Amino acid sequence: MTDHLHRIAPDVAFRPVAITDAPAFAAALTRNRAYMRRWEPVRPEAFYTVEGQTARLTALLADRDAGRAMPWALADDDGRVIGGFTLSGVERGPYRNARLGYWVDADHAGRGLATAAVGAVCDAARDRLGLHRVEAATVTDNGPSQRVLAKAGFERIGTAPGYLHINGGWRDHHLFQRLLHDDPPAG
C-alpha cells in the first residue's frame, strides 16, 4: 500500500512523496498558507518556492532513506498535491516510536481524507517499520485535527505547555498517541 498509489477516495490517491513533487507542494502550500497559518511555524518566503520545497523534500527523502522518516502525499486525479503526511523521528530499540505530522488542503477538509490517510500511516508504521507507537500533537484549539486523531484511534495523553513555536509564539499542545500492537520489539 505505501510503495505505490493507494486510493483513499475515488478521486484522491495516497502515495509516497517524490522529489518531483516539489512544484506541486510549493503550489499547495502557497494556496493554503493563510488557512494553515494558525497551526504552522512562521516560514521564510523561500519555503513556498519550488526551490524551497526541493530542499525540504531532499532532506525528507534522505531521512526516509536513513530509516528516520516516511513521507506521503495526497494527490487528486489531476496530480495536484492536496495534503502531506509524515512520520518523523523514527526511533528503534525498546521505544519503537515516531511522530506524525499532517495537513489537508482547505478545499478538501472535512471529507474524511485525513482520517483515512492517518490510518494508512499507522498501518505502515506497524507493518513496515514494526513500530509500537505513533505520537501526534495539536495546538489546543485545533479541534478538527483532534477529531481526526480520535477517529483514527489516537488517545489524548496530556497537554504540553509551550510545546512548539507556532504562528509566531510558543503554543500549548494536546498530546496524542496510538499504540499499534503489544508485540515485543523485533530483533
Side-chain angles (χ1 to χ4, degrees), residues 121-171:
V121 168
C122 288
D123 289 348
R126 181 192 63 233
D127 299 340
R128 291 194 58 212
L129 298 176
L131 299 182
H132 168 68
R133 178 179 178 270
V134 173
E135 63 184 62
T138 70
V139 176
T140 56
D141 65 352
N142 190 345
S145 190
Q146 292 162 22
R147 285 189 293 281
V148 164
L149 293 170
K151 288 180 194 175
F154 283 72
E155 64 178 321
R156 186 171 150 196
I157 57 171
T159 301
Y163 187 68
L164 291 173
H165 200 265
I166 299 294
N167 195 21
W170 291 103
R171 305 288 184 225

Side-chain angles (χ1 to χ4, degrees), residues 11-12 31 76 80 82 104-114:
D11 59 339
V12 178
R31 187 173 61 246
D76 66 15
R80 258 183 10 143
I82 59 169
V104 171
D105 190 290
D107 291 341
H108 294 273
R111 293 181 52 195
L113 300 174

